[in-house]
Each structure stands twice: as structure tokens, then as C-alpha cells.
Amino acid sequence: MGNIQYFDWGNIEWIYEPDGRSSSHIMHIGISTILPGKRQKEHIHYGDEQFLYVLSGRGEQLIGKKMSIKEPGSLFHIDAGSVHEAINTGKEPIKELIISTPVYYNRNNHLNRILETRETHMESPQNTIIINDKIQKIFDESIKILGIPIAIFDLLNQPVIVSDNYPEFCIKNCNVDKSIKNCNLYNINDEYMPPHYKDPSAFVCQYGLRVFVMPIIINEAIIGTIKGGHIRIYEKSQNDLNHKSNLYSELYNKMQIVHQGRVMAILQHIKTLSKNISYYYLLENTELELSKKEEIIKDISKNELLLEESLRSTKEQVLSVQINNHFLFNTLNALASLSIKDGSYKTYESIIRLSNILRYSLKSSNTIVTLNEEMKFILDYLELQRLRYGGRLKININISEEVRPIRVPLNFIQPIVENSFIHGFKDKLDGLYIEINCYKKEDKIVVQIEDNGSGLEEKEVEELNNRIKGQSTTIDLSGLMMIYRRLELLYPNRFKFEISSKKGVGTKVLIVLPVIKED
């Protein structure tokens, strides 16, 4: 039996979690159950990204601003920082496989290792936040620079330290100046992450304001929680505000929209505050002499430490996440075996294909593979989509035998195919068609991906091509741009990547690559 978290909407059973602090396996795997008629509250994962595979049940799922149908065989990827909500609209529980990996994972932080070594030799810390001058000082030094409301709560969700700089909109509309609990977001106790996960999440109020949530952890036990933010990150229409008076609309419009860079800075400060409070309690519970305690507390407060952590976090994002491959695939095989026993052969087939996709995706992003391997991966992905769309989806793949052994970059086709489902087929209910052609022309490989989706206007196609090639002032980190950048590194000035489209007809992506010669 795994570690089970219970919520008012159902539960999550974590069937695999990392084995201690020394483990390099940081993936969490679980099975979530959403009961009929229940819904998860709108929330955000800032510290982790998730891959969801629906095993049974039906409902709706919101990721960002896109609402999708949950049904057996559906696959979803939730990026860190994405708004997420799920609703069970069916008569049976929705069960889905969750694979969760952290975006940041600071295994090599020297100070962490020192304090964690001491942690194993100390008595259990206080099981809740006790306010004193030093805690107040740590709070003031970490949060004052942000200029946003932040509060610290104990284990009973009672505020012990509260800042007083709440937005005028929140004061007038929700009376948070009279009681912080007047804000509904401070009364939510759901924990949408593996237990005691050491990164922040967030909740969103009806007006689109975000409140971040960060646990304070010692010895794998939560001693309190940091909550706060009340920041506005996107536009909300006047109708959405639904006020009796224009006063609230005016106050809301005065709130500055916070850009993503500042959001990440806020998250870093909140994480640092959590760590500093944890370090303080660790040091208070050791038998170190007072001079050594003060020296370490001073070191924690130095700006050099924040800079070092920031640099290391950046490096960690670039590295591939290490996971327990054998356990992951053994788990998927076990689920496949169970589906055979239950006679669910489509589920068995989809889990096997999912296993193939994950195994392929775990390769380094710099890997060079044969075009045949790449197309097997695409076929597994398309067959999973066929489970979702059934007879509404037609697939035609033509690969010349002479190009199958030619070596190409890993995973340079799937994001293009995925765009057909995300954008091209968004408003198309039936008659979905995807065609992929791969052949050799002189000393080049030609790859064409074509769909019969909604298509784009001529100006939209021109702007899209400019964005992908970096000729637009708009910053875009889409899958298409990342593919273009990889091809640019591998084949500088020797490749072709063009998108053509016609509104109401469909979209075609043409890729022409030189043949990579074997050493």
C-alpha cells in the first residue's frame, strides 16, 4: 500500500516515491481517483511538471486556458506553472496514472548537505512555528524587498506572522485587513503534490489573483506553511469581475500585471524564506556553540548564497532528470498485466505504447537516432491518439526504405504532430487526418507532416515562420521554436524548416535535412 493523500474530491495513492535524501531517483508515481460529481480546485504546480494518463472514467480537464475531455487513453502534460483543474462529469471514478518530476532539484547544495547531516543526529524539532525575534527578523529580511503580502501559518493553519501590505482591491473587496481568513485562498488545505514536496504551488481566486503556498519542512515533517502573493498575472474582463460598483473594477485595474520573470523571483524569495526558517530551527536544536550558530545564520543571509543557489538551480534545469528507469517500466508492466487479467486489452496496449514513449523520451535531448526509431516513436504516439479519437482519426505514414537507417535528431517530429491535435483539430469534431511522408531527394532527407485541421490565415503563417526563426519581437518558447533551434545547432545554414497553411484546409510542415555521415 502506498502513501495515500485524501481530499474532498478523492485521493492520490503514491505507489513510488524517492528513497531518502541520498537517492538520485526523484520521480513520483501515483494513481489519482476523482469521485463522480467532484472537482479539483483550480491550482498551480510551480515546482513540478506532471504527465497524466487516464485509466478509466470520464470528465473535463483545464490546463492553462484550454479545456479538454478526460477519457480512457487520454494523455496530458502539465508544465510547471500551469493552471490546472479537473472535473468528474461521469458516473464512475476517474482513475489516472500520475508521473511527477520536480523542475528544480538542488542535490549538490553544500549548505544543504551540512545541515542535513546534522539533522540526522538531532532530536525532533518543534512541530509548529514559534514566533520570536529571530524568526521575525528572517521574515522581514526575506520579504520586505518583495512589497507583496506574505504570511506564515502554523500546523493548525493559524497565522503567526502576517504582513500588512495587501492590495487595496483585496482590502475593499474581501476585508483581508480585518482577518486574513476572509480570503478564501487561505482556507484551502488541499496539497496538490507528493507529500512534503519542497517546492511552491499556488491557488487562483475568482478574480485571477494568485496566492503561493510553500511548506516549511524539517526531518521530513511540516512545521508550518508560507502563503501569500495576491499578484495579478493576466487580464480579467469586466464581466468576470461581476461587481455592483465600478469602484472594485477601478481598484482591480490599478493592480499591475506581474510578468513571469518577477513571478520566478517571488518564488525564489519564498523558497529561501522557507529554507532559512528550517535552518534556524535545525541550528536551534543542535548542540553547536552559540558562536557557530550565529556564524551559520549569518552565512545563510548573505547574498552570495542566494546567487549560488540561483546558479545551481539554473544548471540543474539544463541537466536531464535522473530517475529509476527499471522501477518505472516495471510499474507500467505491472499495470499492463493487471489490465490483461481484467480483460482490458485496449488499456494493456495503451500502457505498452506509453512505456515505449517514456523509454524513448528518457534519452538525452542531444541523442542522434535512426529515422526508423523516430518513426516508431511517432507511431506509438499516434496509436495512443487513435485510442482517444477512434474512427474519427485517419493516419497515413509513408517512409522510403532508403531513409529508414539515416540518422536524425531525437524527437524532432512529435511536437509538430502534437500541434495538429492541440491547434489544428481544436474545433474539428470528425474526419481528422494526418499524413507523414519521409523520402530522400538527392543528398537530402525530406520530411512532410500534413493535417486537415482548421489551418491559418496567410498573415498568421508569415508571423509564425518569423517567430520560429527568431525574426519577430515576440518571445516564444514553443515546441516548434525549440525544434528549429536544435536543427540550427546541428545543421547551421544547411536545413529547411517551413510552415504552409490555408484557412479551413489544413497545415503542412516541410523539413529538409542533410544526411549525417557516419564517422
Side-chain angles (χ1 to χ4, degrees):
M1 180 67 70
N3 188 351
I4 302 181
Q5 293 174 281
Y6 293 96
F7 309 98
D8 58 2
W9 47 264
N11 64 74
I12 302 177
E13 179 180 358
W14 296 102
I15 57 179
Y16 172 72
E17 297 178 271
D19 184 18
R21 288 186 299 272
S22 62
S23 173
S24 63
H25 310 139
I26 57 177
M27 174 177 285
H28 294 74
I29 302 175
I31 301 290
S32 85
T33 301
I34 304 175
L35 299 175
K38 297 291 186 178
R39 68 186 297 157
Q40 293 177 334
K41 298 179 178 70
E42 191 175 275
H43 60 283
I44 304 165
H45 299 268
Y46 274 101
D48 70 319
E49 60 178 347
Q50 290 191 349
F51 183 90
L52 304 180
Y53 174 71
V54 181
L55 299 170
S56 62
R58 296 181 181 276
E60 297 178 344
Q61 173 138 300
L62 175 72
I63 300 177
K65 295 182 179 180
K66 177 179 175 57
M67 184 69 76
S68 302
I69 300 298
K70 272 183 180 287
E71 57 187 358
S74 297
L75 300 166
F76 300 97
H77 175 256
I78 304 174
D79 285 317
S82 297
V83 176
H84 172 45
E85 182 178 13
I87 310 163
N88 187 333
T89 59
K91 296 182 179 180
E92 63 173 307
I94 293 176
K95 288 187 177 292
E96 53 192 350
L97 176 69
I98 301 176
I99 299 176
S100 173
T101 56
V103 176
Y104 307 103
Y105 188 63
N106 299 326
R107 293 189 304 275
N108 299 319
N109 184 279
H110 181 63
L111 183 57
N112 281 343
R113 293 201 299 273
I114 293 175
L115 291 174
E116 287 174 350
T117 300
R118 290 174 178 162
E119 188 176 347
T120 61
H121 299 289
M122 60 175 278
E123 296 180 0
S124 296
Q126 297 288 345
N127 60 1
T128 191
I129 294 290
I130 299 176
I131 186 172
N132 58 30
D133 291 341
K134 290 182 179 178
I135 291 291
Q136 184 70 55
K137 183 178 180 181
I138 293 172
F139 178 83
D140 291 341
E141 289 179 351
S142 300
I143 298 304
K144 186 176 181 180
I145 191 173
L146 293 179
I148 62 172
I150 299 289
I152 297 178
F153 291 77
D154 62 19
L155 283 179
L156 299 176
N157 201 36
Q158 296 301 314
V160 293
I161 300 180
V162 180
S163 61
D164 57 1
N165 51 347
Y166 287 89
E168 190 176 0
F169 173 81
C170 298
I171 292 174
K172 297 292 186 182
N173 192 49
C174 299
N175 296 317
V176 292
D177 55 328
K178 296 179 181 178
S179 172
I180 193 173
K181 291 295 192 71
N182 285 337
C183 174
N184 292 330
L185 298 184
Y186 287 98
N187 298 310
I188 298 174
N189 294 317
D190 281 351
E191 187 182 4
Y192 293 101
M193 61 188 78
H196 306 171
Y197 200 58
K198 299 179 182 179
D199 274 296
S201 57
F203 290 101
V204 185
C205 78
Q206 59 181 316
Y207 307 110
L209 304 185
R210 293 190 182 182
V211 166
F212 303 106
V213 180
M214 177 75 198
I216 304 171
I217 304 169
I218 302 179
N219 272 350
E220 303 302 323
I222 293 180
I223 66 168
T225 310
I226 300 169
K227 301 180 182 181
H230 292 261
I231 63 171
R232 177 186 175 199
I233 67 163
Y234 60 83
E235 293 286 355
K236 198 80 171 175
S237 71
Q238 298 295 333
N239 292 333
D240 289 338
L241 293 177
N242 193 24
H243 291 313
K244 296 179 181 178
S245 168
N246 288 330
L247 171 64
Y248 297 115
S249 297
E250 292 174 4
L251 294 176
Y252 181 85
N253 290 329
K254 287 181 180 179
M255 298 180 67
Q256 184 179 5
I257 297 177
V258 178
H259 60 79
Q260 185 64 19
R262 176 159 168 77
V263 170
M264 299 311 295
I266 292 171
L267 293 175
Q268 185 62 42
H269 276 278
I270 292 175
K271 289 173 65 176
T272 300
L273 173 60
S274 172
K275 289 181 181 179
N276 287 353
I277 293 174
S278 299
Y279 294 161
Y280 167 76
Y281 278 101
L282 285 171
L283 294 173
E284 284 293 303
N285 284 274
T286 61
E287 297 178 354
L288 294 175
E289 295 179 3
L290 180 60
S291 59
K292 292 183 180 180
K293 297 179 187 178
E294 292 176 344
E295 181 180 347
I296 294 176
I297 292 175
K298 186 183 297 183
D299 289 340
I300 293 172
S301 303
K302 288 182 179 178
N303 290 331
E304 287 79 3
L305 178 61
L306 297 179
L307 178 59
E308 179 184 350
E309 286 205 2
S310 177
L311 289 173
R312 286 177 177 173
S313 294
T314 302
K315 290 178 181 178
E316 287 292 341
Q317 292 178 62
V318 177
L319 296 176
S320 297
V321 176
Q322 298 181 30
I323 65 170
N324 187 333
N325 296 348
H326 292 296
F327 182 86
L328 170 60
F329 295 116
N330 286 344
T331 300
L332 291 172
N333 287 334
L335 291 171
S337 298
L338 286 174
S339 66
I340 289 180
K341 290 179 182 179
D342 294 338
S344 304
Y345 295 106
K346 284 190 176 181
T347 301
Y348 166 78
E349 179 188 348
S350 62
I351 290 175
I352 294 301
R353 292 190 181 278
L354 173 61
S355 176
N356 293 339
I357 288 174
L358 289 173
R359 184 179 285 107
Y360 191 83
S361 300
L362 288 173
K363 296 180 180 181
S364 168
S365 60
N366 295 322
T367 301
I368 300 298
V369 298
T370 65
L371 184 60
N372 193 53
E373 291 176 290
E374 180 77 0
M375 293 311 300
K376 283 183 178 179
F377 169 61
I378 298 302
L379 184 59
D380 281 327
Y381 173 79
L382 285 172
E383 286 301 327
L384 283 176
Q385 292 291 359
R386 202 200 295 271
L387 285 173
R388 178 181 179 185
Y389 290 98
R392 294 180 292 150
L393 174 63
K394 301 297 181 184
I395 301 168
N396 185 20
I397 298 179
N398 302 301
I399 310 173
S400 171
E401 289 299 322
E402 63 178 338
V403 300
R404 287 184 182 274
I406 294 177
R407 302 180 70 77
V408 295
L410 174 80
N411 198 14
F412 77 106
I413 297 177
Q414 188 273 340
I416 300 172
V417 177
E418 185 177 5
N419 268 359
S420 295
F421 293 97
I422 294 175
H423 303 294
F425 299 151
K426 181 172 61 175
D427 301 318
K428 194 176 180 70
L429 300 178
D430 202 358
L432 314 182
Y433 180 76
I434 286 183
E435 180 174 318
I436 302 176
N437 293 294
C438 304
Y439 57 91
K440 191 174 181 182
K441 185 176 182 181
E442 298 177 349
D443 60 343
K444 308 285 186 182
I445 309 169
V446 179
V447 179
Q448 292 178 327
I449 304 100
E450 186 172 0
D451 67 48
N452 66 338
S454 55
L456 300 169
E457 299 286 357
E458 186 176 345
K459 288 185 178 180
E460 293 176 313
V461 176
E462 182 180 359
E463 173 61 22
L464 180 58
N465 279 307
N466 288 338
R467 276 210 315 270
I468 292 171
K469 297 174 183 178
Q471 299 171 358
S472 170
T473 57
T474 304
I475 297 176
D476 191 341
L477 298 178
S478 67
L480 294 178
M481 175 174 281
M482 287 188 286
I483 292 172
Y484 187 87
R485 292 291 174 264
R486 287 178 60 199
L487 297 179
E488 203 171 34
L489 289 172
L490 286 169
Y491 315 102
N493 301 318
R494 294 186 296 128
F495 74 99
K496 186 176 184 179
F497 188 102
E498 287 186 356
I499 299 174
S500 57
S501 184
K502 188 173 181 180
K503 193 68 175 178
V505 176
T507 300
K508 179 189 293 185
V509 178
L510 172 66
I511 302 175
V512 181
L513 305 177
V515 175
I516 297 179
K517 296 181 179 180
E518 298 289 346
D519 296 331

